[in-house]
Amino acid sequence: MGYPFEDGIVNRINAMKQRLSTIREADMYYYNQPISELRGGAKVFVNGREMGMYASYSYLGLIGHKRINAAAKKAIDRFGTGTHGVRSLAGTLTVHQELEDTIANFKKAEAAITYSSGYVTNLSVVSTLLGREDYVISDKLNHASIVDGCLMSGAKFLRFKHNDMDSLESRLTQIPSGATKLVIADAVFSMDGDIVDLPKVVELCRKFRAWLMIDEAHSVGVLGSTGRGIEEHFGLDGSIDIKMGTLSKTIPSIGGYVAGNKDLIELLRHASRGYIFSAAIPPAQAAAATEAFKVILDEPWRIHKLSENAGHFISGLKQRGLDTMLTQTAIVPVLCGKDENAFAMTRYSQKAGVFVLPVVSPAVPVGLARLRATVTAAHESSDIEMAMDIIEEAGINAGIL
Ligand SMILES: Cc1ncc(COP(=O)(O)O)c(C=O)c1O
């Protein structure tokens, strides 16, 4: 299709078209592949073939859990598939209140509020709490939704070196002491799998009178003996002011939340635009999320199995000579170097039945392209061994081993 005139939009469309067609011609396009079927917790059917799933966020293997499916079906029978609009008007259902109470309890907070996605949560919360006169101090590897929230707030945006507490302290020192400041970081970094140094971040926030917001997208169900997340992991209950999380990873649903002080939640409920101007989470998804938090507490074996599987995967890949960077969790980067190596390793692995995906620049710095592999509680040890053998062969084939 042609365009009646040339402009910046047309240039962008054409540049993307060109880039995608080069990648597709080289048989290196692995994004947006539809999964047609679940085969148990750790296997999927893709392009007519069964593959081991090593790219899932469903860390505890809860997608398809019978109790969670049943809760969703029951909510559909009771409420239908949609809501009557935004939460503040006719969109609030009892399932939303149950979900928020469950989250507040699980996160040991006074109250919680939910939004339609994790992305919207970060955008809305940061931009509601901060304005032009304020400061936000963000880890360099924070998720894009945090960065976008910081930019949208208009606050002065300072970044500190990844998980580097001297760098955070020097940033905090630069800010006038009376200014409003928010420090924000992922609990588990989404591309690297390492854990933020919470004890030191908390100490610095107290010293410099800064608020602390932590994004627990990849730590709920993953960290802590009962899966409650990073405060439980470090034995620091009550240390985070704004506990943000998603309902789309360990919790097999959709949505995002913040748990914290009840007056803070009241402010967000009445002032955050992502809550006021966007529709409520559908009833099936709200009920599924509530049930999932209960399943985590009722089935603690999943947390132990996840941690065993992550340890097995990380140490096995290292023994095979692969570089898993600084990960300490179920997100396991396998460093490939150049983007082409990551594409070649993905192609080899997927052809051999291991579903991993490449992460390349600009999502990660040039030269640090990687497979972003994950394990879950649903994997068996023998499957993990097989997957690691295939990833090793892929590394040899791509010339990085
Ligand atoms: C750290 C982090 N925060 C927020 C989000 C956004 O969450 P959602 O996908 O539920 O919108 C993600 C998603 O990948 C994430 O990794």
Side-chain angles (χ1 to χ4, degrees), residues 284-347:
Q285 298 314 122
T290 302
E291 195 63 21
F293 282 104
K294 293 180 185 163
V295 169
I296 294 175
L297 296 179
D298 291 346
E299 299 181 4
W301 63 265
R302 289 178 183 274
I303 295 150
H304 308 308
K305 178 110 185 274
L306 174 65
S307 136
E308 237 173 70
N309 283 351
H312 180 187
F313 197 47
I314 296 168
S315 62
L317 288 168
K318 279 188 175 149
Q319 276 160 18
R320 285 166 172 82
L322 291 152
D323 183 349
T324 55
M325 304 177 78
L326 294 176
T327 184
Q328 297 160 267
T329 64
I331 297 173
V332 184
V334 178
L335 190 64
C336 306
K338 288 192 289 193
D339 290 1
E340 296 75 43
N341 295 342
F343 291 131
M345 284 181 71
T346 303
R347 183 171 51 213

Side-chain angles (χ1 to χ4, degrees), residues 272-290:
S272 57
R273 294 164 76 85
Y275 184 89
I276 299 171
F277 296 110
S278 186
I281 297 173
Q285 298 314 122
T290 302

